[in-house]
Amino acid sequence: MEVSRRSFLKASAAAAALAAAGVTLRPGSALADEAGVTWGKAPCRFCGTGCGVLVGVRDGRIVATKADPEADVNKGLNCVKGYFLAKVLYGKDRLTTPLIRKNGRLVEASWEEAMTLIASKFKESIDKFGPDSVAIYGSGQWTIFEGYAASKLFKAGIGTNNIEANARLCMASAVTGFMTTFASDEPMGCYDDLDHGNTFFLWGANMAECHPVLFSRMLDNRLNNPEVKIIDFATRRTRTSLMADRYVRFNPQTDLALLNAMAHVIIRDGLHDPKFIENHVVFKKGKEKIGYGLQDKFKFADEPQLIDFQAYREFLKPYTPEHAASLSGVPAQTIVELAHLYADKNRKVVSLWTMGFNQHTRGTWVNNLVYNLHLLTGKICQPGQNPMSLTGQPSACGTTREVGTFTHRLPADMVVSNPEHREKTAKIWGVDPKKIPAKPTYHAVEMFRAFDRGDIKVLWSQVTNPFQSLPNLARYRKGAHKGEGRFLVVSDIYPNRSTELADVVLPSASWVEKEGAFGNAERRTQQWFKMVDPPGDAKNDLWQTMELARRLGYGSLFPYSYPEKEIWEEYRKFGEGQGKELAPYEEYAKHRGLRWPVVNGKETRYRYLEGEDPYVKSGEGIKFYKNKADHYKAVIWARPYEPAPEVPDHQYPFWLCTGRVLEHWHTSTMTGRVPELRRAYPEAVCEIHPDDAHRLGIKHLGKVKVSSRRGSVVLTADLHGRGRSEKGNVFVAFFDEAKLINDLCLDAYCPISGEPDYKKCAVKLEKA
C-alpha cells in the first residue's frame, strides 16, 4: 500500500499511514503522546553510520529527538551530535529568503528573480562557451532524490559530465579500492561484524570521536567477550587509542609499507590460505611512481597487468619486517605479531578505516593492500570477518556512490566511458545516448582549479561548504573572488564561508523539512517523510534543481507528480539484475532501512556468500560475481610504498594532520549553531607533543602560529587535551570557520581516485 509523503504532518495522518504500512515505533509510545508530540522516524543527519532517530513534532516545530531503540544500526543510542539534532535547524541566522549580490552586497530577492538570474547565467555560458562551462558540486548530504535529479539534469539535459560531490574529498579512494579489487563498490559485510568479530584492526580511524555509536557497539562486544582485541594503528593518540588493547604508532604514509610487510610475514610463515587463493583470487600489478596531481590538468591511467603468486611473492621480498620498521617506526617484532594475529585461524578479523586511508595520495593502493590481507587469509565475506570502509556523510554511499554523482559515474557502478552503460542510462532517462557525454571532465579538485582558471564559468554548490573544506584553500577562495567571468550559486541553510563568496544564495530545506532517503556505509537505505515545514521561503534542493531544469527547457526530464517516489522507482531500474536491487519505495516506510541487494523482499547482510547473497548459487561458497573480467575472482594487488609528496624538512619540520572532533561535523555549519556543542568545543586548537612545545617555548593554551608553504594560522596550543600528537606531528580540526586550517593543506591527490590528502603536509611552528 502506498504511504502518503505528507503522512507526518498530522498525528492522525501519521498514525493511519504507519499502521497501513505496518510500521511500529517504540513499544508503549503512541504516535501522538500525552504532551501532544507526534513522533516520526528518520536516519540521523550527520555521519555515514545511519543511526535511527525518532523525531518529535508539536505545533509544526521539532521539539525533541531521541535514539530509535528499534533501529538495527544504533539500537537506541545516539552520539552527542545526534542528541542535539532538534536544535540544528533552529539557529538564529537560518537562511530564509534568496539573496543576490548587488553592488558587492548580498540583498534579499524573490525566488522568481533569483531563478531567472541563475537560468540566464547558465544559458549565456552554455551558448557562448558550451555545456562544459557550467558545473554542479553536491554532497554526501544530498538525498538520493536530489543527487539523482542533479545527475540527470547535467548529464542527460545540459549534456555535460561536470557534476561532482564532496564525497570525492572523503570516499573516492574507498570506491576505487572496491572497484579495482572486487569490480563493485561498497562492502561485502555489515555492522553485524562489530558484534561477531573478535579482532578489530583500526587503521587511522578515530572511531571513538568520528563513529562513536559504532565504536560503542564494538566495545559492547568486548564487554561481553573477553577474547575481543582492538588494535589501533594511528599517527596520534586519541580516545580510540585509550580504549584499544594496543596502540601502534606509525609514521605518516608508511601504512603502505606496514601492510606489505604483514603480507610478507603471512606468506613467509605459511599463514596464507592456498585453497582460498586458488579458487577466489588473481594477482595484478599496476604502474608505479604515478605522481601526485599537483599540476593543473594532471592525467593518469593505470595499466593493470596479471601476475602470478610467485611474482607477487617476489614483489613482497623487500618488505621484511625490519625494512618496514625502518620506515614506519613500528618494531619488527610487532609487525610479525600483528601479521600472525591477522592470520590466526581461531580469530575473526575485521579491518576498519576512514580518512586515514582514503585521504591519502596513494589512497587506492592502501585500500587494495588491506584487502590483500583478508584475501590471503580467506577472512572475508563471513560474519565477523570482513574489511569495512566507514563513511563520513549520511548518504555518501546511497547518493554519491550508488546514484553516481561524479563526473565519471552513472548509477549502479556504471560509467560514462562505457557505451553499453550510456545506452542503458539513456533508455531509462528517455534521451538519445549521444546526449550523455562519453568523456569525464573534472573531479572535485580539478573542478575548482577549472573555476579558478575560468574554464568553468558558472558553478552551483549544493549542501556543502567547499570554500572552507577544499585543500590549498586560499587558491580556490581567490579564484571565486576573481568575479569577472565567473558566477557562483550556493544553496545552503546557514551563512558560511561559501555563501559569503556567492553571487546568489538559495535558502534550502534540511533533513525532515523535506522527504528523503539516505544510504549508509553498510548498504542500508533508509527513507523518511517530511515532518515540518522549512522556515520562511526556504525550498528543498530537489525543487531547486527541477526548477532550473524547467527554465532551461529540460522540464520533460522530470514529469513527476510525486517526485520522490517516482524518482525512486525510475532509479531502481538501474540495479535490477546487477546485484544492486532496491525494494519498492513503500517498503522503506515499513522498515528501519534495508541492505541491498533486496531480492524478493529480502535484504542481504553478506555479499558474495552462499546462503546470504541471492546471486551466489548453492555449492559456490564465495563468489565475487561482479568481477566477470577476472572469472569472478577478487584481485590481490602488488602496490609499493611510495613517499608523500611533501615531507618535513629543516624549514618545515612537522607533519600536519587535519580531521574531526566529536562535537562538530565537517565545517560546523550546523553544529556551530548548537550552543551546547559550541561551548563544549568552541574553537579549533593545535595539538602538540609537550616535548616539542617545550623546546619551542610554547605553553599549554598559549598561542602558536602554524605555517606551511601555502599559508599560516594562529591557534591555541593544546598539550594536554583528549588527543596527543606524537613528536614531530601536529593535529588541527577543520571545523572552525574562523581558522581556515585547510589554507595550509596541499592539494595533492591519489591519481587513481582523485581524492586529496588532508593528513600529510609539512609545517613549522612558532610561538605567537
Side-chain angles (χ1 to χ4, degrees):
M1 178 177 178
E2 180 179 320
V3 179
S4 168
R5 60 186 169 130
R6 300 187 182 279
S7 61
F8 281 99
L9 292 180
K10 296 181 180 179
S12 58
L18 290 175
V23 177
T24 59
L25 286 177
R26 184 174 182 174
S29 175
L31 283 166
D33 61 23
E34 60 273 12
V37 177
T38 300
W39 293 91
K41 67 178 179 68
C44 180
R45 177 64 180 79
F46 293 116
C47 79
T49 299
C51 293
V53 178
L54 298 180
V55 183
V57 177
R58 184 173 60 197
D59 299 330
R61 184 179 175 91
I62 300 171
V63 294
T65 59
K66 55 186 176 182
D68 185 351
E70 293 187 24
D72 290 336
V73 170
N74 53 314
K75 305 179 188 294
L77 177 67
N78 274 349
C79 77
V80 66
K81 294 184 291 295
Y83 284 119
F84 285 106
L85 277 165
K87 294 192 174 186
V88 162
L89 302 183
Y90 298 123
K92 294 179 180 179
D93 57 344
R94 183 74 189 268
L95 294 169
T96 60
T97 190
L99 304 172
I100 292 176
R101 190 171 298 280
K102 296 180 179 180
N103 299 318
R105 295 178 59 250
L106 288 169
V107 298
E108 292 187 357
S110 67
W111 275 101
E112 176 63 28
E113 184 182 4
M115 294 307 298
T116 297
L117 176 60
I118 293 168
S120 70
K121 291 294 184 179
F122 268 84
K123 288 178 181 178
E124 178 186 340
S125 187
I126 293 167
D127 290 345
K128 190 172 182 179
F129 302 105
D132 287 346
S133 67
V134 299
I136 191 166
Y137 183 70
S139 165
Q141 301 157 65
W142 259 337
T143 67
I144 290 171
F145 319 125
E146 291 164 347
Y148 184 88
S151 185
K152 189 177 185 182
L153 170 58
F154 275 74
K155 297 193 178 198
I158 295 171
T160 178
N161 287 321
N162 275 358
I163 176 171
E164 272 290 309
N166 65 0
R168 177 76 73 172
L169 309 181
C170 62
M171 293 312 303
S173 294
V175 176
T176 50
F178 278 120
M179 294 301 296
T180 52
T181 298
F182 306 105
S184 182
D185 189 19
E186 299 201 38
M188 55 290 302
C190 60
Y191 295 160
D192 295 11
D193 290 327
L194 300 173
D195 309 322
H196 299 309
N198 60 20
T199 311
F200 298 96
F201 285 88
L202 280 53
W203 290 93
N206 181 13
M207 289 182 66
E209 294 199 65
C210 299
H211 291 89
V213 171
L214 297 182
F215 193 61
S216 296
R217 193 162 164 179
M218 188 192 307
L219 293 179
D220 186 60
N221 181 3
R222 186 171 66 178
L223 285 172
N224 292 296
N225 180 3
E227 294 297 312
V228 168
K229 292 185 182 296
I230 300 172
I231 314 300
D232 179 34
F233 275 94
T235 59
R236 58 185 278 259
R237 290 181 182 270
T238 64
R239 285 181 169 178
T240 302
S241 314
L242 291 174
M243 290 179 273
D245 295 276
R246 193 165 187 174
Y247 166 63
V248 182
R249 183 204 67 81
F250 67 93
N251 296 327
Q253 192 81 358
T254 62
D255 40 15
L256 296 158
L258 281 168
L259 287 158
N260 276 328
M262 293 169 80
H264 171 107
V265 171
I266 287 170
I267 293 175
R268 182 196 69 185
D269 295 353
L271 305 175
H272 56 296
D273 187 335
K275 185 176 181 181
F276 184 91
I277 292 169
E278 180 181 358
N279 292 335
H280 301 297
V281 168
V282 298
F283 295 85
K284 291 184 181 181
K285 67 177 182 179
K287 286 184 177 179
E288 299 182 5
K289 298 180 181 178
I290 60 177
Y292 300 101
L294 287 166
Q295 306 81 25
D296 280 26
K297 303 181 181 180
F298 175 86
K299 299 291 184 183
F300 174 79
D302 207 0
E303 295 178 358
Q305 298 177 38
L306 280 170
I307 59 175
D308 59 18
F309 177 74
Q310 289 304 319
Y312 175 67
R313 192 170 191 161
E314 284 296 314
F315 161 80
L316 290 176
K317 272 190 175 179
Y319 292 98
T320 63
E322 292 74 19
H323 176 60
S326 70
L327 294 170
S328 68
V330 179
Q333 185 56 38
T334 299
I335 295 170
V336 173
E337 290 172 6
L338 295 177
H340 278 250
L341 191 62
Y342 249 107
D344 188 335
K345 297 184 185 303
N346 296 315
R347 302 198 69 86
K348 293 185 175 182
V349 175
V350 180
S351 299
L352 299 129
W353 65 95
T354 52
M355 300 305 103
F357 269 8
N358 295 333
Q359 291 177 339
H360 195 306
T361 53
R362 295 294 180 264
T364 304
W365 288 9
V366 77
N367 274 262
N368 292 150
L369 294 183
V370 76
Y371 295 137
N372 287 358
L373 299 186
H374 285 267
L375 292 168
L376 284 170
T377 57
K379 296 190 175 191
I380 197 166
C381 304
Q382 303 162 58
Q385 301 222 91
N386 279 299
M388 169 68 79
S389 169
L390 301 173
T391 55
Q393 296 187 84
S395 206
C397 291
T399 302
T400 63
R401 293 162 69 170
E402 294 163 24
V403 171
T405 62
F406 296 105
T407 183
H408 67 297
R409 280 173 76 91
L410 296 165
D413 284 348
M414 297 194 298
V415 292
V416 298
S417 58
N418 186 314
E420 293 181 5
H421 293 177
R422 294 197 307 278
E423 184 84 30
K424 177 177 179 176
T425 302
K427 184 177 180 180
I428 294 172
W429 283 348
V431 299
D432 187 327
K434 295 178 182 177
K435 184 67 175 179
I436 303 170
K439 187 178 179 181
T441 53
Y442 309 106
H443 61 70
V445 171
E446 291 293 348
M447 176 178 282
F448 284 90
R449 288 176 178 176
F451 191 54
D452 173 45
R453 294 192 304 269
D455 296 342
I456 290 175
K457 311 293 184 182
V458 180
L459 177 64
W460 189 359
S461 170
Q462 291 186 347
V463 211
T464 187
N465 186 11
F467 294 102
Q468 184 176 337
S469 63
L470 287 164
N472 193 12
L473 182 61
R475 172 183 175 178
Y476 306 112
R477 288 182 61 82
K478 289 175 184 175
H481 265 303
K482 289 177 181 176
E484 184 64 30
R486 294 165 186 76
F487 192 80
L488 176 64
V489 182
V490 175
S491 297
D492 217 313
I493 65 173
Y494 288 110
N496 57 32
R497 299 308 299 265
S498 296
T499 61
E500 70 183 9
L501 300 177
D503 297 287
V504 177
V505 176
L506 299 179
S508 292
S510 181
W511 196 39
V512 296
E513 296 169 347
K514 58 189 176 184
E515 187 166 338
F518 285 156
N520 77 352
E522 62 165 353
R523 296 172 283 107
R524 182 185 297 272
T525 309
Q526 302 180 79
Q527 179 269 357
W528 72 92
F529 292 110
K530 179 181 176 180
M531 301 183 201
V532 295
D533 289 327
D537 289 332
K539 296 182 182 294
N540 70 63
D541 296 312
L542 176 59
W543 180 90
Q544 295 176 30
T545 299
M546 293 194 300
E547 178 63 14
L548 178 63
R550 184 183 69 80
R551 290 169 180 266
L552 294 180
Y554 303 118
S556 61
L557 291 172
F558 305 97
Y560 312 127
S561 58
Y562 181 174
E564 293 85 359
K565 180 177 179 180
E566 292 171 63
I567 283 175
W568 181 264
E569 296 304 326
E570 179 179 302
Y571 167 54
R572 284 181 62 216
K573 297 175 184 178
F574 286 92
E576 292 174 356
Q578 303 301 313
K580 299 272 185 174
E581 285 86 350
L582 298 163
Y585 189 57
E586 57 267 21
E587 289 299 308
Y588 292 92
K590 302 177 185 178
H591 300 90
R592 265 60 170 183
L594 294 168
R595 290 168 285 198
W596 58 259
V598 183
V599 178
N600 297 324
K602 183 182 178 182
E603 68 172 352
T604 300
R605 292 190 310 156
Y606 294 97
R607 297 175 78 191
Y608 314 127
L609 178 63
E610 179 185 341
E612 291 277 353
D613 189 327
Y615 280 84
V616 182
K617 298 176 182 177
S618 178
E620 290 183 323
I622 290 173
K623 183 179 181 180
F624 298 106
Y625 55 84
K626 294 292 290 184
N627 196 5
K628 297 177 183 178
D630 292 310
H631 308 289
Y632 310 109
K633 295 183 177 184
V635 180
I636 286 180
W637 284 92
R639 302 290 204 190
Y641 162 77
E642 291 184 357
E646 183 176 89
V647 300
D649 57 20
H650 179 72
Q651 187 177 4
Y652 295 92
F654 290 87
W655 288 106
L656 168 66
C657 176
T658 68
R660 281 173 25 193
V661 293
L662 175 66
E663 294 83 357
H664 289 291
W665 195 63
H666 290 190
T667 60
S668 73
T669 298
M670 293 181 290
T671 55
R673 267 71 186 184
V674 178
E676 293 85 349
L677 298 177
R678 196 74 188 181
R679 285 197 300 269
Y681 211 109
E683 64 174 346
V685 297
C686 181
E687 269 182 24
I688 312 171
H689 192 281
D691 290 354
D692 289 329
H694 178 74
R695 178 169 49 83
L696 295 170
I698 297 168
K699 297 183 181 297
H700 181 56
L701 303 183
K703 295 299 180 182
V704 57
K705 182 179 180 182
V706 187
S707 304
S708 75
R709 291 175 173 85
R710 291 155 294 281
S712 300
V713 63
V714 175
L715 300 156
T716 299
D718 184 5
L719 280 56
H720 308 297
R722 68 178 65 159
R724 175 69 66 87
S725 289
E726 298 289 350
K727 290 181 182 180
N729 293 258
V730 295
F731 173 85
V732 181
F734 71 96
F735 73 86
D736 193 337
E737 66 179 9
K739 299 175 177 64
L740 297 179
I741 191 61
N742 285 349
D743 278 350
L744 280 63
C745 293
L746 189 66
D747 54 351
Y749 55 77
C750 168
I752 300 174
S753 71
E755 181 168 347
D757 190 334
Y758 290 87
K759 305 300 182 184
K760 296 178 285 292
C761 72
V763 298
K764 64 182 177 181
L765 307 179
E766 300 168 277
K767 183 179 178 181

